[in-house]
Amino acid sequence: MSFPYQIKSVDQYKAAYDKSVNDPEGFWGEIASSFYWRKKWDKVLEWDFKKPTIKWFAGGKLNITENCLDRHLNTLGNTPAIIWESNDPEEPNRVLTYRELHAKVVQFANVLKNNGVQKGDRVCIYMGMVPELAIAVLACARIGAIHSVVFGGFSAQSISDRLQDAKAEFVVTCDGGFRGNKEIPLKSVIDDALVQCHFVKRVIVLTRTRTQVSMIEGRDVWWEEEIRKVEAQGNPDCVAEEMDAEDMLFILYTSGSTGKPKGVVHTCGGYMVYTNYSFVNVFQYQPGDVHFCTADIGWITGHSYIVYGPLSAGATSLMFEGIPTWPNAGRFWDIVDKYKVNVLYTAPTAIRSLMGFGLDPVKGHSLDSVKVLGTVGEPINEEAWHWYDEQIGKKKCPIVDTWWQTETGGILISNLAGVTPAKPAHATLPLPGVQPLLVDENGKEVTGNSVSGNLCIKFPWPGMLRTTYGDHERCRVNYFATYENLYFTGDGCLRDENGNYRITGRVDDVLNVSGHRIGTAEVENAINMHAGVVESAVVGYPHDIKGQGIYAFVIYQGTHGDDALARQDITKTVSKIIGAIAKPDKIQFVSGLPKTRSGKIMRRILRKIAEGEIDKLGDTTTLLDPSVVDEIAKGRL
Ligand code: PRX
């Protein structure tokens, strides 16, 4: 494939940027022309951030799987589309060429159809990182069903909330999943989730771990048996469903500052164009490159840069089932050498955790296939950036620090590997087509350089969210109402003397723990489910490996004899309600929380205490009971 829109020099970057601002419709129309459309769009863009309505390529008809699979068959049929590395280094790997992946997607699309799934239906996918997860995602897209992947670490309660919100009648799962030395009982978690979801008609279960599971007659079927039925039908084709550019492609739940996760909605046309465009430009994809994105497909990074971006570009996408530290901290480097990985895209938290093991695990690896390194998910500290550059990139690989969000669909701010300059710990410049700006608390634009503010985007880009599922008003209030006519990211940001952006972290009540987004209100709600808890307040604090840790202040009324036991119990409750990723790192028992006279918890003060900046608490005189602050500060963990 050739990519006429691939930017290859700083001059081209500047020219593309100018064009994208002066003639956005021309700019995106040209890029979109490189894809396969059943029918061309009538209008490139219609938008109004007030409502918000955002329509890209309206009237265009397509199916994203024809762009990710069918159109490559003649030229790349025998090229690996997905290489899969098992959690267990001894288990044989799996390679699916574009032709094989196409066949498997068609087959599973027919399984979905045989099981009653129709265009527009929501399908929840709760699986480990096996190729069938990508196959299930693409099979949904093939028939126009809306996939909603839920990360395999979420609890039954979280799944049930998501199923109810999306009104998903179909679930695809595995008997279990492998991660490091753990086995995750996926089907059993689904069974618990479905106790509250009787509307679910069908659960399709893939065999992975061979753990015993209970199958409910009439509801649960085995993936393998359903495939055999399709084979018995003579493996019919499954012509891709014709989708409108603005039809929903998927829902992905993410945390916000309120208690309930939001179902971010992405649509077919714009998301396809944007993930491909950003993939090709940021990583400077060259035909034949092996792309290793270490994320899980349960997060947006996996959707955009394991599945849709690489496959729409005809790349070879490496999918890894396990974790970086198992069976030892050299696992990533083994994989890089084994498959001659050209692009490695991971999270700062993984880099920091591997740094902690010293250089021994890196030794003995050549790593000389690597051309580009990437990071995503959270700010990268300079120490980790330099370690990555020196030890992994051997100072010859550009590092792309890619800033984006579930809502943005793809990377918005990043250097382009080897094309535009990198700067440690800076995402640097917006991609052409992206118009960021900084605003102060009053919504006034902060102009010039060497400034800071809240990061907003003032013009639409094709990969942006369109709504939050089932609640458009929530989308408006969350993203488009804080500042008039702007998309508000929730992030704070600096702009240096040369106009490079450095994202400093969330300015709302959202935490970023090991690159995972978790709402403080969500964790508080979970803690408060524990019978002994009267009230709680959760804040983030700097954590060497996770970036941010979770600090919970809890008023506890249970049998208080054994604090350690009470902590354990509360932690269990959080795991049960949300999942292990939301477990508090510290739980401090307090007798009261700092509140204003109107009853609002002053998180600012708690944050300072958690951060250990007790001398910087600021004005506490407006508190209902200022003495509680001293007590909390003294008891800090
Ligand atoms: O705070 C920013 C941080 O991650 C948030 C988005 O989280 P999520 O929707 O889960 O998507 C993560 C993967 C795209 C952002 O609001 N973030 C993401 N990338 C960076 C980052 N912070 C700093 N630098 C980054 N490169």
Side-chain angles (χ1 to χ4, degrees):
M1 287 199 74
S2 67
F3 308 100
Y5 43 88
Q6 191 172 48
I7 294 160
K8 298 202 174 100
S9 67
V10 170
D11 285 346
Q12 281 181 18
Y13 166 80
K14 285 186 185 145
Y17 197 88
D18 288 348
K19 173 152 173 129
S20 78
V21 173
N22 299 329
D23 176 19
E25 294 199 35
F27 177 79
W28 288 111
E30 267 172 38
I31 295 172
S33 304
S34 293
F35 294 79
Y36 172 64
W37 298 81
R38 296 260 187 101
K39 174 185 167 286
K40 200 181 166 186
W41 53 90
D42 302 318
K43 179 112 184 72
V44 173
L45 172 64
E46 285 165 56
W47 68 291
D48 176 355
F49 273 180
K50 281 205 178 66
K51 292 191 170 120
T53 43
I54 300 122
K55 287 188 186 159
W56 282 95
F57 313 113
K61 304 280 182 194
L62 78 156
N63 187 290
I64 196 167
T65 70
E66 288 187 328
N67 284 277
C68 289
L69 301 170
D70 304 58
R71 73 167 166 157
H72 301 319
L73 291 182
N74 283 336
T75 46
L76 299 169
N78 298 325
T79 301
I82 292 180
I83 298 178
W84 175 79
E85 167 78 5
S86 162
N87 178 61
D88 174 1
E90 304 298 320
E91 184 178 350
N93 62 358
R94 287 171 63 190
V95 178
L96 296 173
T97 63
Y98 273 94
R99 184 158 298 114
E100 289 162 339
L101 181 61
H102 175 266
K104 286 200 182 289
V105 168
V106 163
Q107 225 178 17
F108 193 66
N110 280 322
V111 166
L112 291 174
K113 277 189 180 169
N114 286 349
N115 280 280
V117 183
Q118 294 180 0
K119 180 175 180 173
D121 286 344
R122 275 81 52 217
V123 179
C124 169
I125 305 179
Y126 183 68
M127 300 172 86
M129 279 286 284
V130 286
E132 285 74 11
L133 165 52
I135 291 167
V137 161
L138 291 164
C140 286
R142 185 100 181 154
I143 64 168
I146 299 161
H147 56 79
S148 174
V149 184
V150 177
F151 171 62
F154 278 115
S155 67
Q157 183 63 48
S158 296
I159 300 165
S160 152
D161 292 346
R162 286 159 173 74
L163 284 168
Q164 291 182 41
D165 190 77
K167 297 176 193 68
E169 294 175 334
F170 303 91
V171 175
V172 184
T173 189
C174 300
D175 49 359
F178 294 120
R179 263 174 84 79
N181 59 6
K182 291 202 189 95
E183 209 180 295
I184 299 136
L186 297 166
K187 170 64 164 64
S188 142
V189 176
I190 288 290
D191 289 339
D192 288 348
L194 296 197
V195 170
Q196 301 170 57
C197 303
H198 294 289
F199 51 85
V200 170
K201 292 185 195 152
R202 187 71 82 235
V203 181
I204 303 177
V205 188
L206 177 85
T207 307
R208 171 66 187 127
T209 55
R210 302 191 181 276
T211 11
Q212 279 255 314
V213 296
S214 49
M215 297 290 279
I216 293 183
E217 180 111 26
R219 189 195 72 184
D220 302 349
V221 295
W222 288 105
W223 176 298
E224 295 78 5
E225 279 176 21
E226 295 306 298
I227 293 286
R228 277 196 288 277
K229 285 184 198 160
V230 172
E231 282 166 353
Q233 292 165 349
N235 263 332
D237 193 9
C238 175
V239 177
E241 189 73 33
E242 185 166 289
M243 305 297 284
D244 201 276
E246 281 299 335
D247 279 342
M248 281 187 205
L249 175 63
F250 67 87
I251 306 170
L252 187 57
Y253 284 86
T254 189
S255 297
S257 38
T258 56
K260 215 176 124 223
K262 303 179 280 252
V264 168
V265 171
H266 285 287
T267 57
C268 297
Y271 178 81
M272 170 182 77
V273 170
Y274 198 79
T275 49
N276 175 285
Y277 161 81
S278 52
F279 173 76
V280 161
N281 277 301
V282 171
F283 302 105
Q284 287 292 303
Y285 171 70
Q286 295 302 320
D289 280 356
V290 177
H291 182 80
F292 180 20
C293 165
T294 70
D296 191 290
I297 294 178
W299 309 111
I300 191 71
T301 308
H303 281 62
S304 302
Y305 300 111
I306 296 178
V307 182
Y308 289 112
L311 297 183
S312 65
T316 296
S317 185
L318 177 63
M319 207 175 151
F320 173 42
E321 187 183 32
I323 56 170
T325 49
W326 198 83
N328 59 59
R331 191 68 196 275
F332 273 2
W333 324 130
D334 291 343
I335 295 174
V336 166
D337 278 357
K338 182 169 173 187
Y339 300 104
K340 307 227 175 320
V341 166
N342 303 112
V343 181
L344 174 66
Y345 188 34
T346 194
T349 188
I351 300 168
R352 287 191 298 264
S353 125
L354 293 174
M355 274 169 75
F357 289 86
L359 287 177
D360 274 356
V362 187
K363 279 191 194 133
H365 294 90
S366 107
L367 306 181
D368 58 9
S369 57
V370 178
K371 296 195 295 190
V372 175
L373 296 171
T375 76
V376 57
E378 49 176 327
I380 180 162
N381 47 311
E382 296 205 13
E383 199 192 347
W385 195 98
H386 287 294
W387 188 86
Y388 203 31
D389 181 37
E390 285 157 26
Q391 306 305 334
I392 308 308
K394 318 286 185 204
K395 295 197 99 165
K396 63 175 174 52
C397 304
I399 298 179
V400 288
D401 177 351
T402 65
W403 173 83
W404 57 298
Q405 312 177 294
T406 305
E407 293 85 347
T408 70
I411 299 163
L412 294 198
I413 304 182
S414 171
N415 48 315
L416 311 182
V419 173
T420 58
K423 178 173 177 183
H426 286 69
T428 73
L429 299 176
L431 269 64
V434 176
Q435 300 186 35
L437 85 168
L438 302 183
V439 297
D440 64 19
E441 297 89 80
N442 306 317
K444 200 167 163 300
E445 179 168 0
V446 184
T447 54
N449 285 340
S450 303
V451 290
S452 67
N454 289 346
L455 179 63
C456 296
I457 317 282
K458 66 176 171 204
F459 196 85
W461 63 99
M464 73 187 299
L465 86 165
R466 301 298 193 266
T467 188
T468 44
Y469 192 79
D471 194 349
H472 192 64
E473 176 62 7
R474 199 166 170 210
C475 172
R476 189 187 69 79
V477 170
N478 259 294
Y479 305 105
F480 298 93
T482 315
Y483 305 113
E484 214 185 332
N485 276 327
L486 298 175
Y487 166 80
F488 176 43
T489 64
D491 279 320
C493 184
L494 306 172
R495 189 164 50 217
D496 78 1
E497 60 286 3
N498 298 317
N500 289 307
Y501 290 87
R502 173 181 196 153
I503 285 69
T504 47
R506 304 286 305 195
V507 293
D508 52 8
D509 291 321
V510 172
L511 306 179
N512 193 326
V513 181
S514 300
H516 299 149
R517 229 164 113 170
I518 300 166
T520 51
E522 222 178 319
V523 184
E524 286 164 10
N525 288 348
I527 293 176
N528 298 347
M529 299 293 255
H530 187 288
V533 171
V534 179
E535 201 180 1
S536 65
V538 164
V539 297
Y541 71 98
H543 187 290
D544 283 350
I545 305 235
K546 299 179 174 186
Q548 261 187 318
I550 302 181
Y551 198 124
F553 298 90
V554 176
I555 306 177
Y556 189 74
Q557 243 186 10
T559 37
H560 218 147
D562 189 339
D563 277 5
L565 215 59
R567 282 197 184 95
Q568 234 178 51
D569 257 19
I570 292 172
T571 307
K572 262 195 217 148
T573 305
V574 174
S575 280
K576 201 162 159 225
I577 303 290
I578 306 176
I581 54 169
K583 284 198 292 205
D585 298 275
K586 294 184 179 180
I587 299 176
Q588 179 182 347
F589 294 113
V590 296
S591 66
L593 293 166
K595 287 189 179 169
T596 60
R597 291 200 175 89
S598 59
K600 236 182 112 194
I601 296 175
M602 292 274 274
R603 278 164 208 288
R604 176 177 58 79
I605 293 176
L606 293 174
R607 227 175 276 135
K608 288 282 173 215
I609 295 175
E611 287 167 4
E613 299 195 327
I614 294 171
D615 50 334
K616 294 188 191 134
L617 296 184
D619 183 13
T620 56
T621 53
T622 55
L623 290 177
L624 196 57
D625 174 12
S627 70
V628 78
V629 175
D630 286 341
E631 181 217 301
I632 298 175
K634 281 202 191 92
R636 176 177 177 267
L637 299 173

